[in-house]
């Protein structure tokens, strides 16, 4: 498992794409974004247009652990883009216990996967503490999630200005 962290437009998705293409495996991209407004719809379309042809794309905003297990295989390369959008979807879900259930399901799934996996996520803990309660919860939960995933990951890369900084494991 490879966790790729970084700020907005830092090159996270580009690195994940490069690693997937270089793997020589069947690639499944699991995207978590929801087009809730016109600007987000434009962002999603830009990402769709830049994806390599031949990749299987699964849109799954909530049930990430289950989706990983369903599409896993020793010959597969799975890419999740991105965890912070997944977290946002769950924190905004009408069921307040859904996030904890889905996070547990993700952790359990990660221990069962046989193929390669790249998780892409935004590093949000480098700025000031946000003023709103939901924003603070988001920053806290993403930080705790990233710590857990970094502990489990074989490789962790921080992207800054398109440059990979290896935090754990081998340089990609």
């Amino acid at each position: 498992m490879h966790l790729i962290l970084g700020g907005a437009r830092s090159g996270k998705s580009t690195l994940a794409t490069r690693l997937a293409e270089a793997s020589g495996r069947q690639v499944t991209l699991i995207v978590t974004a929801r087009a809730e407004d016109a600007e987000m719809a434009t962002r999603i379309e830009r990402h769709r247009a830049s994806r390599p042809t031949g990749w299987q794309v699964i849109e799954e905003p909530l049930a990430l652990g289950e989706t990983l297990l369903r599409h896993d295989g020793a010959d597969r390369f799975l890419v999740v883009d991105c965890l912070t959008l997944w977290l946002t979807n769950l924190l905004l879900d009408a069921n307040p216990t859904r996030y904890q259930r889905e996070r547990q399901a993700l952790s359990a799934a990660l221990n069962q996967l046989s193929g390669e996996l790249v998780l892409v996520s935004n590093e949000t803990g480098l700025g000031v503490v946000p003023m709103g309660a939901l924003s603070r919860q988001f920053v806290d939960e993403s930080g705790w999630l990233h710590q857990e995933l970094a502990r489990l990951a074989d490789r962790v890369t921080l992207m800054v200005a398109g440059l990979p900084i290896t935090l754990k494991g081998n340089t990609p």
Side-chain angles (χ1 to χ4, degrees), residues 30 32 60-69 80 82-83 86 102 105-106 109 119:
I30 302 164
T32 61
E60 180 48 63
L62 300 170
L64 190 52
E66 175 187 324
T67 302
L68 287 169
L69 290 173
V80 175
C82 90
L83 290 173
W86 171 74
E102 293 297 341
L106 173 61
L119 300 169

Side-chain angles (χ1 to χ4, degrees), residues 95-146:
N95 182 341
T97 63
R98 178 102 193 241
Y99 170 62
Q100 288 306 324
R101 283 196 330 261
E102 293 297 341
R103 182 170 168 182
Q104 289 170 354
L106 173 61
S107 293
L110 294 176
N111 291 318
Q112 298 175 48
L113 298 178
S114 60
E116 287 192 59
L117 172 65
V118 169
L119 300 169
V120 175
S121 197
N122 292 289
E123 179 53 63
T124 60
L126 298 174
V128 297
V129 175
M131 293 192 56
L134 180 60
S135 297
R136 285 190 301 274
Q137 180 186 13
F138 172 78
V139 169
D140 289 348
E141 294 293 345
S142 66
W144 291 323
L145 176 65
H146 291 161

Side-chain angles (χ1 to χ4, degrees), residues 4-7 9-12 14-15 18 157-166 171-172:
I4 301 174
L5 302 169
R9 301 290 172 255
S10 62
K12 301 178 304 291
T14 301
L15 176 60
R18 193 179 82 222
T157 303
L158 176 66
M159 294 297 296
V160 178
L163 300 173
I165 301 168
T166 301
T171 302

